[in-house]
Amino acid sequence: MYQSKGKLFPKNYKLTGGMDVVVVPTHIEGTKATVELYICDVSGHQMFSDMQPQLLDNVNLVILVYDQSSRQSFEACAACLKLLSSVPSNRGKTIQGVLVGNKHDLVGQVSYDADGDGEVTAEEVAAANEKLGKLRQRAVSLEEAKEWAESRQLTFMESSALPPGKDIDAPFKWCAKNFHERYEERLAQLAKAA
């Protein structure tokens, strides 16, 4: 583990510098089913633009992630959807997925009553004010992000990777569950047709 600004991260933590492709088995709660998610994490770096159409061929679901304190990263999500739609196998199809507002821990509000006892002490005010000084301004309102996602048939979620983490796996579980439901629906249609 190493520390950055008082936060702990695993030593093997790495940012996406280019592309990362992994297969992640994801259990579907309430069933015996497991869906293998083929995840292509693309940083958007120009160096990899020639390979992106091959990796984004015939996409079923998408997870778009933006930094809640960066309007530029939010606006880049539109470019990602445009790129996905430009791949011949994806043209004309509605690509469902999730828009994730990341770094939830760095934007927003703080509680002055940290211990929840109904009384606010001078120490709690000092701690809250210190935390407020470290928070970033939300560059995109929750309403705007939700409206943008809904207008593109995406589900909106917030997350934070900082320990203890907040809903880090929720977008992946959503995608696995959505894929599994569509798969089961298709099997039922085929069984009816037979």
Side-chain angles (χ1 to χ4, degrees), residues 105-138:
D105 54 290
L106 297 178
V107 296
Q109 302 175 348
V110 299
S111 172
Y112 283 92
D113 184 13
D115 59 11
D117 66 359
E119 295 180 28
V120 179
T121 65
E123 292 82 18
E124 288 174 319
V125 170
N129 286 335
E130 183 180 340
K131 185 175 180 184
L132 266 175
K134 294 177 184 175
L135 291 176
R136 300 178 190 175
Q137 293 297 313
R138 186 182 292 274

Side-chain angles (χ1 to χ4, degrees), residues 100 104 157-161 164-172:
V100 181
H104 175 69
M157 296 180 181
E158 290 186 296
S159 72
S160 171
K166 178 191 179 299
D167 298 329
I168 298 167
D169 57 351
F172 302 100

Side-chain angles (χ1 to χ4, degrees), residues 2-192:
Y2 70 93
Q3 271 193 306
S4 173
K5 296 185 181 181
K7 305 293 182 193
L8 296 175
F9 293 91
K11 282 186 180 181
N12 63 353
Y13 176 79
K14 60 183 179 177
L15 295 172
T16 305
M19 292 186 312
D20 195 12
V21 179
V22 296
V23 176
V24 179
T26 306
H27 175 72
I28 307 301
E29 290 182 29
T31 73
K32 293 182 180 181
T34 297
V35 171
E36 287 188 340
L37 296 175
Y38 173 80
I39 300 172
C40 178
D41 185 359
V42 182
S43 71
H45 194 281
Q46 196 63 29
M47 180 182 354
F48 300 99
S49 61
D50 290 343
M51 292 188 291
Q52 288 174 355
Q54 290 84 16
L55 290 168
L56 302 176
D57 186 42
N58 205 22
V59 167
N60 289 302
L61 297 160
V62 64
I63 299 173
L64 299 172
V65 181
Y66 73 97
D67 176 344
Q68 291 191 38
S69 66
S70 169
R71 173 151 290 279
Q72 182 180 1
S73 74
F74 176 74
E75 291 172 354
C77 292
C80 289
L81 278 181
K82 186 176 181 181
L83 174 64
L84 273 169
S85 298
S86 72
V87 175
S89 63
N90 298 330
R91 284 194 191 124
K93 93 180 186 187
T94 300
I95 299 174
Q96 295 180 337
V98 182
L99 174 66
V100 181
N102 195 23
K103 300 186 180 178
H104 175 69
D105 54 290
L106 297 178
V107 296
Q109 302 175 348
V110 299
S111 172
Y112 283 92
D113 184 13
D115 59 11
D117 66 359
E119 295 180 28
V120 179
T121 65
E123 292 82 18
E124 288 174 319
V125 170
N129 286 335
E130 183 180 340
K131 185 175 180 184
L132 266 175
K134 294 177 184 175
L135 291 176
R136 300 178 190 175
Q137 293 297 313
R138 186 182 292 274
V140 180
S141 72
L142 284 177
E143 294 77 22
E144 180 183 1
K146 287 177 182 178
E147 286 174 15
W148 189 90
E150 286 174 14
S151 71
R152 288 155 181 85
Q153 297 182 344
L154 300 173
T155 298
F156 177 77
M157 296 180 181
E158 290 186 296
S159 72
S160 171
L162 286 179
K166 178 191 179 299
D167 298 329
I168 298 167
D169 57 351
F172 302 100
K173 287 183 176 182
W174 184 94
C175 285
K177 182 179 179 198
N178 182 284
F179 184 84
H180 182 258
E181 287 171 355
R182 292 195 302 176
Y183 175 78
E184 291 293 324
E185 287 171 8
R186 184 67 180 138
L187 283 180
Q189 289 172 352
L190 291 173
K192 261 187 181 176

